[in-house]
Structure formats: structure tokens, C-alpha cells
Amino acid sequence: MIYLDSAATTLRKPEAVYQGVLRTMRRCSGVGRGGHEAAMRAAEVVHACRVEAGRLFDAEPEQVVFTMNATHGLNIAIRSLCRPGMSVAISGYEHNAVTRPLYAMGARLMIAGRELFRPEHAIEQFKLALDRGAELVVCTCCSNVFGYILPVQEIGALCRKRNVPFILDASQAAGSLPVSLRNSGAAFIAMPGHKGLYGPQGTGILLCGSVGEPLLYGGTGGQSAQQQMPSVLPDRLEAGTHNVCGIGGLLEGLRYVRRRGVQRIRQKEQQLLTVLCRELSAMEKIQLFRGPEQSGVLSLRVKGRDCEEVAQVLAEQGVACRAGLHCAPLAHESAGTAPGGTVRLSVSDGNTEQEIRQFLRICKKIL
Amino acid sequence: MYVYYYTFRSMTAAMTAAGKLKNRGINLRPIRSPEPLRKRGCGFCIRIPEAQFSPSVQESLRGLYEKRYGYGNGEWREFSL
């Protein structure tokens, strides 16, 4: 299979990730649920993962909260900071993981920066939204549909200047773009474990610049005689037994990213994207969505063909990619690709140039 | 033998403290707190025998622990921070 759907989930993980899951499942029980060897091994694995994540994202271990995925983290962050009727500025490229919780909270949305691959426009629009009274800002580092890298450093600086809390969705950035809790000044940064961090599905991290409000209430292994959730992180936001096996795998994924280097991973993805774009742009039926600052995600449309049909034909040829709205209808509305959507190709460090060339041969044959 | 107990507000804080001690060549794991130290239910502490204790150990744990206790001759004593 030529796997070009890493923006959803990276399929090929480093071998150590598979081994990490297996080793943890065999040797570890629950964190803080006993003083015995299996519980202490679990505590050590989970703590090691917090330390590793803290190193990669400039955070203290206590600021690293484990979640099920980025959506879970974003729900905690949004529910912690958003109140019904609050004015919330978001980019025109947010995922449903951001827009649906905001909608459910009854937030008044201010869409800032709808123009694709125009970061300077996004900065102006966020500034305008803040001037007009935005009380909270939620922004993705990078569009999951188009790979458009948003100017989150600048947007974060605008928020800090006005003392407005800032939530960062690093779903498409973690592992391939620099992400720093300390430098961003964000109240929260949410990310999945199963994409660019090469961890298993069902893992995620919420980096906490603020304490936050629990989404789930329950046992934490400590302070058990009191009925309120503990006031300290990470326990406050981590009710119930952890996904220790998943975290054991995520630990190895994080170690891989740190050893390999975020910059080198980005370079590799950019090389693959360049090869893809060079060949695809020469095919007259294909419309590419390309920008100067783009992650390893590329959207395209084929003239006269439904994107789902294109993805299905590619799947029959052994190519895994994703078509449709990618759970981000707002991004398609902004870019003018709604309601049909696009075909999305997304690469990871696990892809090779050979695979890309094979994919291009298939495209030339069937498109 | 006199033993010191450092209590923590979370397992994560206890693990961070254990890491600091490890850097000083003292390998001690957090344990579940004994009953006299469980003021809010189950908790975690690090037990340091007097032979392994020193002012520099105390210094390295500063800011991480919640309370420090001592146990000897059948009696518990709470130290001030």
C-alpha cells in the first residue's frame, strides 16, 4: 500500500512504538493504583512520557496531560475557557474538533482569516477580531485540509498583548513543526499522539499553560477522600485509568521524533511534497492547492470528477488517501472547495520517494 | 532508625522528585503513603532512611513536596516547610 493519509493517522510507526505498546501491556497495570511492581512500572512509563513530551514541547511534566486524542484535549480546553455567548475568534481553517465544542457551548464565532495561504491576512483579521472584542482565540497551527501553516506565533503575541486566552490546535504540527508551550504563551495546546508523534491511536496530549476544568470526574489514585477533583495538574484533568499501553507506545514515538529531529522530519516531508507537486502540476486535469508555507499535506481536485470517486479509484490501485470535507467544512467554505471537497494527500517521515514516484505513475495512468 | 517521608500532591510530582534524587545517585521509588500521612485519602510519598538523608537532599526536593515527616521510636513528627 502507498500510504498517503498520515494527516489522519500515521500508519507506519517506528518499530520501537509497537514494542513499547507490547512491553507496557505485558508488564504494567495502572498508575497510582497500588504500590506494587506492576503499578510502579506503569507510573514510570507514564512519567517518562510526560518528561519526553515536556522536552519536545517546552513544558514541565505536570503540564503534560494525557488525553484520548486532540479532540478530547480541545474539548477540555474550550470548556475550561469558553462561556455561553462569549465572542471567540477562530481561523477560517478550523476542524470540527474546534467548531463543534464551540457551537455546543453557545459561543459567538468570529471567523478571522479565510484567505488560503495568506498568513499576513490572517494576522490582520485576528487583530481586527480582538479589537472588536474577541474574548478567546482558538487557532490551528496548520490546516488539516490544505497544509496551510497559520501564523500562530504572531496571533499568540496579539492575544498576550490584550490578555486574551489562546488555545492552539497542534494536531497537524506536532512532530513536524516547532511547538512550544513556553514560547507560544498559549493557555492550552492540544495534539493527537497518532499522527506526527507516531504513537498509537487513542493517545493525545494537552499541554496546559492554565489549570483548566475537568471534562471527566473520577478516580485519580490520589486525594481519594475528597469529592472534588484534585486542584493540581495533571491529576485534575486525568480521571480514570490511563491508556498506559498507548502511552508506552507514544513514549517511543516521542523519542523517535526527538532523535530524528523535527526539522529533519519537516525537510523530508517537504522533499516528498516537492516531487508530488512538480509532477502533478504538469497534469492539466489536476487543480493543486499549493502555498509558500505548507506542511506535508496537499489537497487537489480533478476536473470533472467527484473527489470521493477519485479516492476510490486510487484505493483500488493500492493508494490510501482521503477525500471529502476532512471533518473541516469551514476550511472548505473558506477556500471555496465546499461542498464537494478535495482529495487530500499527506506524507510522513515513513514515506519514500520511490512510493511517491509509484503514486505518480498510477495517477498518470488513471486520472 | 529514623526515616523521613516526603508527601506529594500527585504521583507526577512524586516521580519528578524521585528523578531529582536519582540524579544525586539515590534510587528511591515513590510509595503509597502510610495512614498517618493520608490527610485527604490515598497519596504518594518518598521514604528516605536517615542514612541516605542530607541537607542537599532536602534542598533538591524543595518546591516539589507538600510536607515532610519523620518517623522514629514509634512516633511521627511533622516538620515545618
Side-chain angles (χ1 to χ4, degrees):
Chain A
M1 181 196 293
I2 301 171
Y3 191 80
L4 299 175
D5 198 16
S6 293
T9 296
T10 47
L11 183 66
R12 285 175 210 142
K13 318 285 187 186
E15 183 56 33
V17 172
Y18 306 118
Q19 296 304 320
V21 173
L22 196 60
R23 189 171 57 245
T24 311
M25 190 175 279
R26 285 201 166 122
R27 291 166 44 90
C28 301
S29 60
V31 180
R33 268 61 171 181
H36 53 77
E37 187 62 25
M40 291 314 299
R41 283 185 198 140
E44 282 164 1
V45 166
V46 169
H47 188 70
C49 196
R50 288 192 213 279
V51 171
E52 195 67 44
R55 273 187 204 155
L56 196 57
F57 304 118
D58 294 330
E60 296 300 321
E62 289 78 7
Q63 294 176 298
V64 176
V65 165
F66 291 112
T67 57
M68 292 185 282
N69 43 49
T71 301
H72 181 195
L74 285 164
N75 270 265
I76 293 173
I78 288 167
R79 285 183 168 267
S80 296
L81 295 173
C82 184
R83 299 287 168 267
M86 190 182 251
S87 297
V88 182
I90 63 171
S91 84
Y93 290 88
E94 299 307 313
H95 190 278
N96 277 348
V98 167
T99 56
R100 282 181 171 172
L102 287 171
Y103 180 80
M105 289 296 292
R108 291 195 304 117
L109 295 185
M110 305 165 88
I111 313 294
R114 280 185 175 269
E115 291 183 21
L116 185 57
F117 298 120
R118 289 272 323 275
E120 70 288 355
H121 169 72
I123 296 168
E124 280 167 26
Q125 292 291 301
F126 272 101
K127 189 169 179 295
L128 197 62
L130 287 162
D131 288 344
R132 287 181 178 165
E135 300 162 276
L136 171 65
V137 169
V138 191
C139 188
T140 183
C141 294
C142 183
S143 162
N144 70 307
V145 180
F146 300 101
Y148 166 31
I149 298 171
L150 281 105
V152 291
Q153 287 289 344
E154 291 83 349
I155 295 166
L158 290 173
C159 292
R160 277 199 300 281
K161 210 170 160 184
R162 290 164 173 80
N163 210 19
V164 169
F166 179 40
I167 298 171
L168 206 49
D169 175 3
S171 296
Q172 297 295 328
S176 59
L177 289 170
V179 175
S180 165
L181 180 66
R182 203 169 298 136
N183 296 342
S184 69
F188 296 99
I189 303 178
M191 61 186 72
H194 64 275
K195 299 184 198 277
L197 301 181
Y198 298 94
Q201 296 91 324
T203 60
I205 289 172
L206 181 67
L207 302 172
C208 299
S210 305
V211 174
E213 292 302 315
L215 192 64
L216 294 175
Y217 295 78
T220 56
Q223 302 186 20
S224 48
Q226 63 180 40
Q227 284 307 295
Q228 300 89 353
M229 286 294 283
S231 59
V232 293
L233 290 173
D235 296 22
R236 183 166 178 75
L237 304 179
E238 290 184 350
T241 296
H242 296 84
N243 174 7
V244 179
C245 310
I247 293 169
L250 178 59
L251 168 60
E252 297 301 335
L254 287 164
R255 283 175 173 159
Y256 170 80
V257 170
R258 188 165 60 83
R259 278 196 300 264
R260 179 96 166 95
V262 169
Q263 188 60 34
R264 279 170 66 196
I265 291 172
R266 169 133 173 86
Q267 277 170 1
K268 165 91 178 282
E269 291 179 358
Q270 288 304 295
Q271 282 164 8
L272 298 174
L273 202 68
T274 302
V275 176
L276 264 176
C277 288
R278 196 168 49 223
E279 300 284 326
L280 289 174
S281 60
M283 296 170 69
E284 64 177 40
K285 282 185 184 168
I286 291 181
Q287 179 192 12
L288 283 185
F289 294 86
R290 186 82 167 109
E293 284 292 313
Q294 192 166 5
S295 68
V297 173
L298 179 68
S299 257
L300 61 86
R301 291 195 294 195
V302 182
K303 280 175 199 154
R305 295 182 68 173
D306 172 31
C307 65
E308 293 286 3
E309 182 231 329
V310 172
Q312 185 56 41
V313 172
L314 286 169
E316 285 160 13
Q317 298 290 319
V319 176
C321 63
R322 183 168 169 190
L325 297 182
H326 313 93
C327 295
L330 179 63
H332 288 283
E333 279 170 28
S334 296
T337 50
T342 58
V343 176
R344 182 186 71 184
L345 311 171
S346 50
V347 297
S348 79
D349 200 33
N351 287 115
T352 64
E353 195 170 322
Q354 258 181 330
E355 282 178 313
I356 299 299
R357 296 208 177 279
Q358 176 62 18
F359 165 74
L360 290 165
R361 280 193 287 276
I362 292 168
C363 285
K364 282 173 188 163
K365 193 171 76 182
I366 64 168
L367 297 180
Chain B
M1 184 182 67
Y2 206 77
V3 180
Y4 294 97
Y5 289 81
Y6 287 81
T7 63
F8 298 89
R9 298 209 294 173
S10 69
M11 173 58 100
T12 305
M15 294 298 295
T16 301
K20 295 249 183 197
L21 292 174
K22 196 174 178 184
N23 291 341
R24 292 183 163 271
I26 301 171
N27 277 310
L28 292 171
R29 271 176 163 177
I31 58 169
R32 305 276 290 180
S33 298
E35 199 274 331
L37 314 189
R38 296 199 301 265
K39 306 292 184 196
R40 291 180 303 240
C42 307
F44 311 98
C45 66
I46 292 181
R47 180 183 182 275
I48 306 180
E50 194 172 26
Q52 289 178 283
F53 184 79
S54 70
S56 67
V57 164
Q58 163 71 15
E59 194 51 38
S60 68
L61 296 179
R62 192 172 294 283
L64 292 172
Y65 66 91
E66 192 176 24
K67 287 188 173 170
R68 177 164 71 111
Y69 297 87
Y71 181 76
N73 301 320
E75 283 186 8
W76 287 96
R77 177 187 163 197
E78 183 179 335
F79 291 90
S80 60
L81 291 176

